[in-house]
DNA sequence: GTTAGCACTCGGATGTTTCGAGTGCTAACT
DNA sequence: AGTTAGCACTCGAAACATCCGAGTGCTAAC
């Protein structure tokens, strides 16, 4: 990292924090008020910082704005992350208490929590089904050849799918099928389940047992689709931010969410790495989101990472405040999913 | 209804259609170009229409804008709804084909379809569980005292909930429970199921049978929450509309969606009435949505209305184009839900 | 009843001026 | 050598002025 003098650091930090507060270019005078230095001195330092690529001036007679690089440096080296207050912890916890305990509900609520506590947007990607452990599979007959397949993971995540079969299958046979499958697949992760089914299907003895073949076929169909969903809450929060007062900027943001899968790839990028991850401005490689930062953290069930959550806000977001919120929420969600 | 001369009607219609196209106040000249009447004559008529409350001028030297009353009259008396083209029908149908057949997916897709074909926002309210017929109930043991309850309606709508029990229940007992319940509740609507459970619980013989009591207790818990969800898609569509170029207007719209329950009450208002319903501007009684119109239609399974779908757009929306889309989609969705 | 003609209005676009925040540079100060 | 006061300069935002044209209402002629 660049070697900055102590003074430069202090001033850079001051500029950044001012900018986070006001969203306006920061002038030398406003900083001199808080430090016992004259504006001229500060101007000199700022000029150096600009040279180094930490600041930029929109035009000659405005103040200066921190660049992405500055925020990166701020987050890496200057920032002392606040510890989350007990009070806030309790508030978050009690939010969860209010709602039902269906997993999808919990995830949506998590997104809402992230949004309302950060004052930005909350985002939660649904668990990677693959990493979770199989618990139960069940077939319910809805009508003639229509069957509802229900797949339950050990953490309570449910996936259901309506399947049209070629031939009519009796309810009794359906029960036998699910018994067979539940025994066969017990304790495997969904990814393993997938493999196992393919393997089984090649087995000689299965090929000549219609029931088994059908069962495997059905379960394969149940698994074939594996939607990752994204819950984004609090879009309206960013409507209030001055940097998006401009209509075209706003459109950009919303268009960015149209392609949710792009967002998923972004978030997925940090699925292996532990702990909080931060993408600042252009670092997220989505042109629509150049002016935004993303703070993410993985959450897990058991000790496997199954999903990602985070907060999306402007580059000038209150990192010190938001990081612990994301961190705590991820841990809390992991705990909630485990308890089940 | 006001008695308008034929000429007035023609001119009013022309103004409305111009305004729908351009979103700009309409002047007398642009109309005179299409009809063989001089601007002056048209001005006289327009002046009358203004007097009657069908038009208003934002200021002296602008053209005129149709009022809510004008749109109401237009929809009721002037509009000839186009029939939906075969081609468009096929397009919509094929959209459905692309996706999985989980009911929640279908509803979300419906919302997307409404949005993309109307170019406004699509909205779908999830089925009123109460009106649908019970099909199956199942309990899956997740851990010590944690149980996942799954409730399936005949149309494939699934509701699941995680329940914490006071005592450990064995898997075998869970199976017996669900067998008992499935037999007991077969063929009832969810509303009836609710009553039946309460009734049953008071029965003497049940009170002394722990298993039955527990089963009923569990199912009561499964039912107690009955979330109506709303899928809104295509918000970004309205970002493109000139009337929302103003940032404050836009905020209003998004804030309106914050309270989704308000929206639900609006939509619910037409759940009994058959066919397409239209709320124009202030008619929807949501101050945030004064500049918007809503076109709704109920959809059903069996022959019971279970939910509402619709399109939300500006008051100057292309009614002739959108009404058949809403109508057709509602019918198609009903058919899709029935087929299962 | 219709229309041409005309004076009038008013908002949007364009141009001009003013104001002030902020800069860079230089020279004096510690 | 680092710091600071002073000053000329820059440039955008806001305020003000002007112009233009689309559109109106009214009147008088057709």
């Amino acid at each position: 990292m660049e070697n900055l003098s102590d003074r430069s650091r202090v001033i850079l930090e001051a500029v950044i924090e001012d900018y986070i507060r006001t969203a306006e270019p920061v002038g030398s005078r406003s900083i001199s008020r808080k430090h016992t230095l004259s504006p001229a001195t500060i101007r000199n330092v700022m000029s150096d910082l600009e040279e180094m690529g930490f600041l930029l001036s929109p035009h000659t007679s405005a103040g200066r704005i921190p660049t992405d690089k500055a925020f990166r440096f701020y987050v890496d080296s200057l920032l002392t992350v606040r510890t989350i207050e007990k009070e806030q912890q309790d508030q978050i916890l009690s939010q969860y208490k209010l709602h039902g305990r269906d997993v999808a509900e919990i995830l949506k609520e998590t997104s809402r929590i992230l949004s309302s506590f950060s004052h930005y947007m909350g985002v939660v990607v649904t668990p990677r089904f693959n990493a979770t452990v199989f618990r139960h599979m069940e077939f319910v007959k809805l009508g003639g050849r229509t069957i509802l397949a229900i797949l339950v993971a050990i953490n309570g995540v449910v996936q259901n799918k309506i399947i049209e079969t070629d031939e009519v299958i009796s309810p009794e046979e359906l029960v036998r099928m699910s018994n067979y499958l539940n025994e066969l697949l017990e304790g495997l992760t969904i990814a393993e389940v997938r493999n196992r089914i393919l393997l089984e299907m090649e087995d000689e003895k299965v090929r000549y047992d219609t029931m088994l073949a059908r069962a495997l076929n059905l379960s394969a169909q149940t698994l074939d689709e594996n939607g990752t969903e994204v819950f984004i809450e609090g879009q309206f929060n960013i409507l209030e931010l001055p940097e998006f007062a401009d209509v075209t900027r706003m459109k950009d943001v919303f268009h960015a969410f149209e392609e949710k899968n792009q967002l998923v790839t972004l978030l997925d990028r940090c699925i292996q790495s532990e702990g909080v991850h931060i993408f600042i401005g252009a670092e997220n490689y989505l042109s629509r989101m150049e002016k935004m930062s993303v703070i993410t953290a993985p959450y897990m069930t058991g000790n496997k990472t199954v999903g990602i959550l985070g907060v999306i806000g402007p580059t000038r977001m209150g990192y010190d405040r938001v990081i612990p919120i994301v961190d705590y929420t991820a841990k809390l969600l992991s705990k909630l999913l485990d308890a089940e």
Side-chain angles (χ1 to χ4, degrees), chain A residues 129-132 134 137 151 180-181 184-185 188-203 206 216-217 219-221 223-224 226:
Chain A
F129 219 31
N130 286 332
T132 60
F134 172 90
M137 184 177 268
L151 177 63
Y180 162 65
L181 288 168
L184 180 71
L185 305 171
L188 305 181
T189 67
I190 301 295
E192 288 162 353
V193 164
R194 230 181 275 272
N195 289 332
R196 186 58 181 274
I197 287 171
L198 292 178
L199 215 74
E200 267 323 284
M201 278 168 119
E202 292 185 351
D203 192 321
V206 167
L216 291 169
N217 194 11
S219 56
Q221 281 191 61
L223 282 164
D224 80 345
N226 194 359

Side-chain angles (χ1 to χ4, degrees), chain A residues 84-137:
Chain A
I84 190 163
E85 293 130 34
K86 187 75 181 64
E87 196 192 348
Q88 199 164 39
Q89 287 188 18
D90 293 345
Q91 278 174 21
I92 293 177
L93 200 56
S94 66
Q95 276 296 318
Y96 276 116
K97 291 274 164 61
L98 294 176
H99 278 78
R101 314 207 56 220
D102 160 7
V103 173
E105 252 324 298
I106 292 180
L107 295 177
K108 205 174 247 180
E109 187 59 33
T110 304
S111 185
R112 263 191 290 263
I113 287 172
L114 286 167
S115 139
S116 77
F117 282 84
S118 69
H119 305 305
Y120 303 122
M121 288 182 288
V123 53
V124 176
V125 180
T126 49
R128 291 327 210 59
F129 219 31
N130 286 332
T132 60
V133 175
F134 172 90
R135 172 82 225 195
H136 184 87
M137 184 177 268

